[in-house]
Each structure stands twice: as structure tokens, then as C-alpha cells.
Amino acid sequence: MTHSPHFIVLEGIDGSGTTTQAARLLEHLQSRGRKTHGTREPSTGPVGRLLREILLGGHAPTGASVHGDTMALLFAADRRDHLQREIDPRLAAGFDVVSDRYHWSSLAYQAQETDVSWVAGLGRNLRQPDLTILVDLPIAEAARRRALAGRPEERYDADSTLAKVAAHYRALAAADPKARVVDGSPSVDDVTQAILKVVDEVFLSND
Ligand code: TYD
């Protein structure tokens, strides 16, 4: 078995379950004897930390929210930092890297508040994932799951926003041969099975 490391990204609207599914995918890869590294965006680096504060409503002493252009720049800066200091070194060391969100999150979310072609330009020359899995489920179900998990309402959580984000995600997936869509509405276990099937089909036959 050769060991070319894989860069796998999970994407989906808030409440789609990418965090849970990323953890399960990592376990699966480990059980196949692969070295793995799990990560997410916003990252745990300095820009990522700032982004999480803003997403929860921080840094608005005058009541003015941070502009969409600024958010796009911060997400892009966080991604460069994440790639250079975490993703690239791990891949170079032979680890499979699974990231909960990456550039598509910027295309899908920031498109709602700034010019999407500018956002695409900010992502020029980024490392491309070997596989992107879009976990797709109805907006109402995602909202139900967020409420069930007691997650605080974040900047992009309005149903009207997430409906547009979801549509954008579907268009991205339809145009990318290295992307697969998995239905996120069944049980967590069933979604995991669907994701593992995709990953095994795409990679393990070649490993
Ligand atoms: P999320 O995965 O929901 O993090 P947490 O589980 O810690 O709340 O991501 C945070 C939010 O940031 C989510 O609403 C999507 C948004 N986001 C963007 O708008 N653009 C991006 O580039 C990224 C990475 C995330």
C-alpha cells in the first residue's frame, strides 16, 4: 500500500454535521493504518481565533458589525496561515489531513455579503483538496440540529442566508469533478457510512 497523503475537506451549512463526520472519517482512516490530522476553519491560529470572536458578535463596541469585505479578507488570511503552518507541513510529513471547512466556505458564505469573484481571487493558487464532500441537508433540519445542540446563533445562521449558501454549495459541487455530495438528512451513522463509501471509492483502491 503506497501512502500518498490525502487532503479531504468537508463542507456544509451550519448544523449539517461536518464536525461530527470529520471526526468519524479520521477514525476510519486511522483504522486503515493511515496517519491522520484533523483540523477546521476558522483555524485555531491567531486570525481564526479573532474570526470566532467576531462570529459570536464580539468586537462591535459601537454596535456596528464587521463589514463583509473585512470578513472575506480575514477568512482568506486565516486560510493562508492555516495552510502554511498546519495543512502543508502535515501533508508533507505523510499525514492525511481532514479539514472541517476550507475555501468553499468563503465562496458560499462571503458571496452573501461581498463580491464573489473578488473572494475567488483571494483564494487563487491555494492548494486544492483531493476530495471535497458536501454534506447537504434541508435548512430546517440543520436549524433543528443547531437548536438541539444548544449552539448559539452566529452571524450567518439566518434561514434566508443559509438557503442561499446551500444553493451556492450545490453549484460548486456540480462544477467540480473532485467533489461529491452526500445527503446529510439520514441518521448520523448512515451519513458516516455514505461518506466512508465515497472516500474508499475515491482513494483506497489507489492506495
Ligand atoms: P462553524 O463550522 O459553524 O464553526 P463552529 O462550529 O465553531 O461554530 O463555522 C463558523 C462560521 O463561519 C460558519 O457560519 C461558516 C462561517 N465561515 C465563513 O463564512 N467563511 C469561511 O471561509 C469559513 C471557513 C467559515
Side-chain angles (χ1 to χ4, degrees), residues 94-143:
F95 287 75
D96 288 335
V97 175
V98 174
S99 186
D100 180 1
R101 300 192 178 283
Y102 190 59
H103 182 49
W104 279 20
S105 285
S106 283
L107 295 174
Y109 282 82
Q110 272 60 64
Q112 309 314 318
E113 54 186 12
T114 188
D115 174 27
V116 70
S117 59
W118 179 63
V119 175
L122 293 175
R124 211 158 30 99
N125 304 329
L126 280 175
R127 176 190 282 280
Q128 295 298 308
D130 301 304
L131 172 66
T132 301
I133 297 173
L134 171 60
V135 181
D136 192 18
L137 83 177
I139 307 300
E141 176 59 14

Side-chain angles (χ1 to χ4, degrees), residues 48 66 129 171 175-176 198:
V66 177
D176 186 339
V198 163

Side-chain angles (χ1 to χ4, degrees), residues 14 52 55 75 79 101 105-106 109-110 151 154 156:
D14 300 62
R52 283 177 191 283
L55 287 166
F75 280 117
R79 187 157 301 121
R101 300 192 178 283
S105 285
S106 283
Y109 282 82
Q110 272 60 64
R151 287 178 51 167
E154 286 189 338
Y156 303 110

